Amino acid sequence: MQKKFKVLVGVMAVTLLSATLAGCGGASLGGNDGGSEKTTKKAADKVKIGASISTLNNPFFVSVKKGINDAAKKKSNVQIFDAQNDTAKQSNDIEDMIQKKVDVLIINPVDSSAISSSVKDANDAGIPVITVDRSSDSGKVLTLVSSNSTKGGQMAAKYMLEKLGNGAKIAELQGVPGASATRERGKGFENAVKGKLDITAKQTASFDRAKGLTVTENILQGNPEIKGLFSQNDEMALGAAQAAKSANKDLMIVGFDGEADGLKAVKNGEMAATVAQQPEEMGRLAVKAAYDHFNGKKVKAKIDSPLELVTTDSLKK
């Protein structure tokens, strides 16, 4: 009896050690669900979707929400929370959805680092997680649906170089600190202009239009010689355009997202260009990935949403 007890203890110890080692890794993207080896198949109209959007104060993410709702086979099976750009609220909202036992979580993180604990909680509960536009720094994610933000930054850089030429002084408006989109768009843009354009001012405006206005006003006062500005989203770019207009400053502004107001500003010449994403398509692709998962299909670790550089000239054609 004593021998059997020792064997049982040994098996338990090995099992516990294996579980501990498995939990020590960083972020994982793969076609597996966040907590179970096997997925129970479910019809699309039976899948309960819980979604958390970083902010619905930004038209881009309103479009992501619309894409999710449009793709859902049964609207009553979708619950969408607005995190209001608050990491604590987003965490609480996700915890609430986990307690309600949703089948899948679609998350557009406020902050890629802060969301990690919520992703791990979902993993522990066996709920697959799909991230949209921004990734999670750690935890296990079924897939990330996003545009290639690094490539988008490079597209903006190439256009500004063509129009302004080497050596021109420019500014950059950065997004929410800690968001993967902020890091990747900045990396793509800055690496592409290194040694070619002079970024004399670089400040965060947290993807917000009002902050984009205020920050750009300050930048223009301190750096009147700048010729162009790259904004990591259209909302900040629209604020920058308003600041430039008030200062009677001819400033070449390139945004990122391709939201309706941004495209209108590009058409009117208030912005020179925007790297256009397709937010509604992102929402639809996220829901499709969820349905594919519960249909037993393999889901790619990264699902790309297309990008297009839209300029004032291209919209006149």
Side-chain angles (χ1 to χ4, degrees), residues 17-61:
L17 177 60
S18 298
T20 302
L21 290 173
C24 289
S28 172
L29 283 171
N32 301 307
D33 108 23
S36 60
E37 293 296 323
K38 218 171 182 182
T39 303
T40 303
K41 285 192 176 184
K42 278 193 173 187
D45 62 357
K46 300 296 182 184
V47 176
K48 291 186 292 184
I49 299 173
S52 174
I53 307 294
S54 61
T55 175
L56 292 177
N57 195 36
N58 183 326
F60 180 85
F61 296 116

Side-chain angles (χ1 to χ4, degrees), residues 249-267:
K249 171 74 173 178
D250 184 16
L251 188 66
M252 178 186 164
I253 299 170
V254 176
F256 199 122
D257 277 345
E259 63 174 64
D261 284 352
L263 291 172
K264 183 179 177 182
V266 171
K267 187 174 183 179

Side-chain angles (χ1 to χ4, degrees), residues 19-254:
T20 302
L21 290 173
C24 289
S28 172
L29 283 171
N32 301 307
D33 108 23
S36 60
E37 293 296 323
K38 218 171 182 182
T39 303
T40 303
K41 285 192 176 184
K42 278 193 173 187
D45 62 357
K46 300 296 182 184
V47 176
K48 291 186 292 184
I49 299 173
S52 174
I53 307 294
S54 61
T55 175
L56 292 177
N57 195 36
N58 183 326
F60 180 85
F61 296 116
V62 172
S63 294
V64 171
K65 177 184 176 182
K66 184 178 186 302
I68 291 172
N69 279 326
D70 287 350
K73 300 293 183 184
K74 194 173 181 181
K75 300 287 194 301
S76 60
N77 280 354
V78 182
Q79 186 175 20
I80 302 178
F81 285 87
D82 176 7
Q84 298 173 11
N85 266 336
D86 184 330
T87 56
K89 185 179 187 306
Q90 185 161 56
S91 177
N92 290 337
D93 290 342
I94 292 170
E95 184 59 37
D96 182 55
M97 288 186 278
I98 290 173
Q99 293 301 319
K100 289 179 179 177
K101 300 186 185 302
V102 295
D103 293 310
V104 61
L105 281 164
I106 296 175
I107 303 174
N108 159 239
V110 173
D111 182 290
S112 298
S113 176
I115 201 62
S116 298
S117 59
S118 295
V119 172
K120 290 174 182 176
D121 287 345
N123 294 163
D124 292 341
I127 299 172
V129 176
I130 295 168
T131 50
V132 177
D133 190 51
R134 305 168 186 170
S135 64
S136 172
D137 285 353
S138 61
K140 196 172 185 180
V141 173
L142 176 66
T143 187
L144 165 64
V145 180
S146 74
S147 302
N148 188 326
S149 287
T150 302
K151 182 181 177 182
Q154 293 168 348
M155 290 166 68
K158 182 181 177 183
Y159 181 74
M160 292 188 79
L161 272 166
E162 287 175 356
K163 296 299 181 181
L164 296 176
N166 284 356
K169 294 183 183 296
I170 63 168
E172 181 180 4
L173 293 183
Q174 299 170 303
V176 175
S180 60
T182 300
R183 294 195 301 263
E184 292 162 12
R185 293 173 191 183
K187 177 184 175 183
F189 181 78
E190 290 161 23
N191 286 347
V193 302
K194 191 174 182 179
K196 299 171 184 176
L197 293 177
D198 181 5
I199 304 177
T200 59
K202 184 167 60 175
Q203 293 184 38
T204 180
S206 300
F207 291 135
D208 182 81
R209 189 183 302 199
K211 290 179 182 177
L213 167 62
T214 304
V215 171
T216 304
E217 285 175 341
N218 293 335
I219 287 175
L220 291 176
Q221 287 174 9
N223 304 271
E225 73 282 6
I226 64 169
K227 302 295 183 185
L229 180 145
F230 169 56
S231 171
Q232 291 179 359
N233 85 335
D234 283 346
E235 282 295 288
M236 296 186 297
L238 289 163
Q242 189 177 342
K245 185 177 181 181
S246 297
N248 199 26
K249 171 74 173 178
D250 184 16
L251 188 66
M252 178 186 164
I253 299 170
V254 176

